[in-house]
Amino acid sequence: MDFDTIYSEFSHKIFSVCLSYLNDTDKAYDLTQETFITVWQNLHSFKHKSNIGTWIYRIACNKCLRQIENDARIKKVELPTQIEVIETDNIQEQKHIFLRNCIADLPELERIIIGLFLEDVPQERIAEIVGLSHSNVRVKVHRIKEKLTKKFKANGSF
Amino acid sequence: MDHFDEIKDIWKSHKTERLPSIASINDAIKNFHSTNKRNIFFFVFLSVTCIVTMIWVIIDYQSNLWTTRVGESLFILIGLYLFFSKLKLLRRNKQEELLSTNDYLDNLKKKSQKGALSETRAILFILLSLAFFFYVYELLSVSNTRLIFGYCLLFLFLVFMWFVYRPLMVKRQQNKIQILLTKIDNIKNQTDEKG
């Protein structure tokens, strides 16, 4: 698989994973770009022992985790409290912001796991990316789903 | 429809059209590559200039005392060590980012702890001090007063650097590293938890 194909296939997914971790669109764009620069640098050494997607997600997740070296906390995006009064066109966008803020409240590893899960990465592969057992990932995914659903219900966002 | 499926739909509804095109990502890569090359070129150019100047001074100075020669050799050795370690750092191809998250965190922790100890820096400081002591002997040995005064000044400067400046820098660095280590441990605990 050449670099151009990889970029068109994975750039949107990588951006979404970065966005779920950082909750900052601009930073997520930057990190996506950084991820693909690293992919380009190391593509020749990729041994095809693992799936190319797993390999790219792994780079992106480590790039995200590297953010702990910066002191800045994950920011929350401003959201009006009364979702009901917002115009219909914007409801989906507001719900998306609310979801991002809910994810931002999760611990670092859970943010990575849910970011990958929301991009339909199979749980076996998530386990491979983060270096946990499959059963551990399964339990974590279940708990995160519960947490997010609870917050959405409490906010009346369904 | 499951509630979480709705959440998934909300997530997928987000638009990502602003993502750079393949042409601009290729430009970014080219830019990154040329900046990297330029940095390495300037670094090598400056370092080679410094080393050549040092060698020229050694040849031109024509010292007969072994102390001066030892001082000069130590300076060159330290210079070469710094040159190669910096070059290695500039050429480093972030291989650690290819590891799994768990291994990446272990690696980051190990590197941070190593940075906190900074044994290499301490050894370099001792070697540099020794180099100065040997190198200036010939200049100061003209008279006893000059020798005592010169060495006292040099000694006081090194004492200040070792006992005042260095601990301050180490403390500042260790505070930063401690915060990072706590954050790493915090994430590591999330991976160790059963579920």
Side-chain angles (χ1 to χ4, degrees):
Chain A
M1 203 186 249
D2 68 335
F3 181 75
D4 292 10
T5 319
I6 291 172
Y7 184 76
S8 34
E9 195 178 327
F10 290 99
S11 54
H12 292 269
K13 295 173 180 177
I14 294 297
F15 169 77
S16 295
V17 171
C18 294
L19 184 67
S20 75
Y21 185 88
L22 298 163
N23 195 17
D24 183 319
T25 316
D26 291 333
K27 277 187 185 171
Y29 282 121
D30 289 346
L31 223 56
T32 306
Q33 183 167 304
E34 277 182 38
T35 301
F36 282 97
I37 289 176
T38 308
V39 168
W40 177 83
Q41 275 182 303
N42 294 285
L43 197 56
H44 64 281
S45 64
F46 176 64
K47 302 271 193 301
H48 297 278
K49 280 179 189 166
S50 64
N51 178 285
I52 185 96
T54 307
W55 185 70
I56 299 169
Y57 281 125
R58 194 177 271 180
I59 296 170
C61 292
N62 290 337
K63 292 257 180 219
C64 287
L65 280 177
R66 194 160 211 132
Q67 300 302 306
I68 58 167
E69 290 182 63
N70 306 328
D71 288 333
R73 287 180 62 82
I74 300 296
K75 72 171 186 183
K76 288 275 183 77
V77 179
E78 287 297 317
L79 178 77
T81 45
Q82 295 291 315
I83 286 180
E84 289 78 12
V85 296
I86 301 160
E87 289 173 40
T88 327
D89 289 351
N90 287 331
I91 287 177
Q92 200 70 354
E93 180 61 23
Q94 294 300 325
K95 282 185 179 180
H96 188 267
I97 293 172
F98 179 71
L99 174 58
R100 276 166 51 187
N101 285 341
C102 292
I103 295 174
D105 278 339
L106 297 170
E108 289 87 347
L109 197 71
E110 291 189 0
R111 290 209 297 271
I112 283 180
I113 292 174
I114 199 62
L116 293 166
F117 185 78
L118 288 168
E119 284 310 307
D120 298 320
V121 179
Q123 291 185 11
E124 297 85 356
R125 222 168 263 168
I126 297 178
E128 213 181 310
I129 294 162
V130 294
L132 296 180
S133 68
H134 181 200
S135 55
N136 200 345
V137 168
R138 196 173 50 233
V139 178
K140 279 189 189 294
V141 166
H142 179 72
R143 284 191 183 169
I144 302 166
K145 279 163 91 173
E146 267 184 358
K147 278 186 202 174
L148 294 179
T149 311
K150 211 171 158 184
K151 282 192 179 179
F152 262 72
K153 274 182 185 166
N155 194 65
S157 299
F158 280 126
Chain B
M1 197 185 198
D2 183 80
H3 277 321
F4 197 77
D5 285 340
E6 279 183 53
I7 291 179
K8 216 168 187 174
D9 287 343
I10 293 168
W11 182 255
K12 293 210 182 273
S13 70
H14 185 63
K15 296 167 189 74
T16 54
E17 289 98 358
R18 247 185 61 198
L19 270 175
S21 64
I22 186 69
S24 38
I25 201 81
N26 279 328
D27 284 344
I29 287 169
K30 267 186 206 160
N31 199 17
F32 167 82
H33 202 51
S34 56
T35 312
N36 223 10
K37 267 186 174 172
R38 200 173 50 229
N39 287 346
I40 293 176
F41 172 78
F42 279 119
F43 171 70
V44 171
F45 177 75
L46 277 173
S47 309
V48 168
T49 310
C50 285
I51 290 171
V52 168
T53 313
M54 185 70 197
I55 292 170
W56 180 73
V57 168
I58 291 169
I59 295 168
D60 191 57
Y61 190 48
Q62 298 263 332
S63 166
N64 294 319
L65 272 178
W66 65 271
T67 48
T68 313
R69 291 292 182 216
V70 170
E72 288 164 347
S73 310
L74 281 171
F75 278 134
I76 290 177
L77 278 176
I78 294 163
L80 285 174
Y81 173 81
L82 289 173
F83 170 73
F84 284 111
S85 42
K86 178 74 182 169
L87 195 65
K88 201 175 145 191
L89 205 72
L90 280 172
R91 291 169 65 96
R92 188 171 62 106
N93 192 0
K94 298 177 176 172
Q95 291 287 330
E96 70 270 15
E97 285 179 348
L98 310 178
L99 300 168
S100 77
T101 306
N102 221 349
D103 294 339
Y104 173 74
L105 288 170
D106 286 334
N107 187 279
L108 193 61
K109 190 173 177 177
K110 215 162 85 184
K111 267 172 61 183
S112 311
Q113 281 167 335
K114 208 175 158 190
L117 294 171
S118 64
E119 279 168 2
T120 320
R121 270 184 236 172
I123 293 169
L124 276 178
F125 183 81
I126 293 166
L127 283 177
L128 200 62
S129 312
L130 277 174
F132 267 112
F133 268 96
F134 280 119
Y135 190 75
V136 294
Y137 180 77
E138 194 175 358
L139 293 167
L140 300 176
S141 61
V142 195
S143 74
N144 280 344
T145 331
R146 207 173 174 183
L147 190 74
I148 294 164
F149 186 70
Y151 270 119
C152 279
L153 267 183
L154 187 59
F155 185 72
L156 279 174
F157 173 71
L158 294 175
V159 164
F160 170 79
M161 291 302 281
W162 185 263
F163 292 104
V164 181
Y165 183 74
R166 187 177 168 270
L168 257 173
M169 289 296 112
V170 168
K171 198 181 168 191
R172 191 181 287 178
Q173 193 198 8
Q174 271 178 339
N175 284 344
K176 274 187 190 169
I177 288 168
Q178 201 46 55
I179 293 169
L180 182 62
L181 287 176
T182 314
K183 285 180 184 174
I184 296 172
D185 283 338
N186 185 27
I187 304 175
K188 282 293 291 173
N189 288 339
Q190 293 167 34
T191 65
D192 293 340
E193 274 172 28
K194 294 281 172 207

